[in-house]
Amino acid sequence: MPGFELIGEEERDAVNDVFERGGILLRYGFDQKRRQIFRVSDFEKRFSQFVGATFAQAVSSGTAALHCALKALNIRPGDEVITQSHTFVATVEAIIESGAVPVITDIDETLNMDPVDLEKKITSRTRAIIPVHMLGVPCNMDAIIKIAAHHNIPVLEDACQALGANYHGKSVGTLGDVGVFSFDFGKTLTTGEGGMVVSNKEEIYQRAREYSDHGHECNPNIPRGEDTRTMWGLNYRMMELAGAIGCVQLAKLSQSIMRQKQNKKQVKDNLALFQGVKFRSLSDADGDAGDTLVFIFDTQELAKKFVKHFRQQGFGTKNLPDAVNWHFAGTWDHMLACFEQYRGKELMRIWDKSTDILSRSVAIPVMIKMDDNQIEKLISTINTIFHEIQ
Ligand SMILES: *Cc1c(COP(=O)(O)O)cnc(C)c1O
């Protein structure tokens, strides 16, 4: 989780620099006063290069990025949008806020969208599919894209948890029609709060940009006050300070992803797995961003025992199981009860395969600032617990 681990002098200097140059905090306009320095625009350009997308639009959060991307895909009230049961609440919140009906698939042992279930969930009203690359690992995109293409449905990748992950050599977020990233304080790159929409399709990018800025078309030859518009939007603009921080964090990104991958490999290679536990399956082993290590135990009892011992040794987990209620649709009565197909149902039962897999999964954060001693301690702690519980 390098983002917040690396916040330091460079980020502070970049923020101070914005103030020293007159403190233009809005990302658009004031061209003379800011001496043509636009940090959010710089961040967009560099980010699009980093992931290999033609276009990038920075926004105020990953949730905003999801909302803008759904608007860019022309999602309307009554449309169905498919996503997966294991995701952060934001994915479903954005679907609901765009007026659409969330349709939720099970996951498989990648802990990501199960393509077999995806196929079953498609109807004549499906207008978008949102695979979510959870905990740094890409979804099985070949299968998902094949199904989507067959039905002519656009794919929006929620890559908020997977910056730095690749699938067959391409960055997540660039495999479908549009992709979104988050820069909140828990993510791999952080600007405090922030998000990005990326696409290779100009029209999608433009609509996302307009939606993030009240419909402004950013017509180059007209003052902002007289700008033209064809759609309404909201204010999801990224602030100039966040753009400045983003540029600095991005410059550190390749290095930190390399470090977290190395650390994860070192831990993984030295674990003595036993009969009752395995690693999460990976759709592309080289593409794993490496910020999380996930075990899938054979039984929920084993998983619980492991977590109990692990906590006693002073270690914590990442989402599974400590924040599972924020990451599993089976617990989301507060949102899903608004929709007829879920009302009065026992949600956990609807996604019983996901309930089963997630209840047996334990996720451990991989930090980049771990030194050899800390890595050794983590390895020996896990191996000791494995030995005790098997
Ligand atoms: C963090 C996250 C989001 C939302 O991002 P914010 O920047 O916190 O709004 C969306 N989807 C997933 C999978 C996330 O992990």
Side-chain angles (χ1 to χ4, degrees), residues 61-63 66 87-88 90-91 132 134 158 160-161 182 184 187 194:
S61 70
T63 311
L66 279 162
T87 182
F88 182 53
T91 321
V132 189
M134 288 298 280
D158 182 338
C160 288
Q161 291 194 9
S182 161
D184 79 25
K187 300 305 206 281

Side-chain angles (χ1 to χ4, degrees), residues 206-275:
Q206 258 167 15
R207 285 180 56 84
R209 190 186 68 189
E210 288 163 26
Y211 196 74
S212 76
D213 187 25
H214 303 295
H216 269 280
E217 286 187 308
C218 281
N219 227 309
N221 305 316
I222 322 182
R224 192 168 157 83
E226 293 163 33
D227 201 2
T228 51
R229 64 196 167 225
T230 59
M231 66 188 274
W232 75 81
L234 290 167
N235 174 7
Y236 285 145
R237 290 186 301 264
M238 178 177 272
M239 186 176 171
E240 197 63 2
L241 297 179
I245 297 171
C247 289
V248 172
Q249 286 254 309
L250 191 61
K252 302 175 178 177
L253 191 59
S254 297
Q255 192 69 23
S256 40
I257 288 164
M258 207 173 77
R259 278 288 298 281
Q260 72 187 14
K261 282 182 146 182
Q262 279 169 353
N263 289 349
K264 178 168 177 179
K265 184 172 169 3
Q266 199 181 334
V267 175
K268 234 179 140 171
D269 287 352
N270 286 288
L271 291 179
L273 294 189
F274 65 97
Q275 276 281 312

Side-chain angles (χ1 to χ4, degrees), residues 79-96:
D79 290 348
E80 290 178 3
V81 174
I82 301 181
T83 190
Q84 67 200 43
S85 62
H86 177 218
T87 182
F88 182 53
V89 280
T91 321
V92 173
E93 287 169 336
I95 294 171
I96 294 175

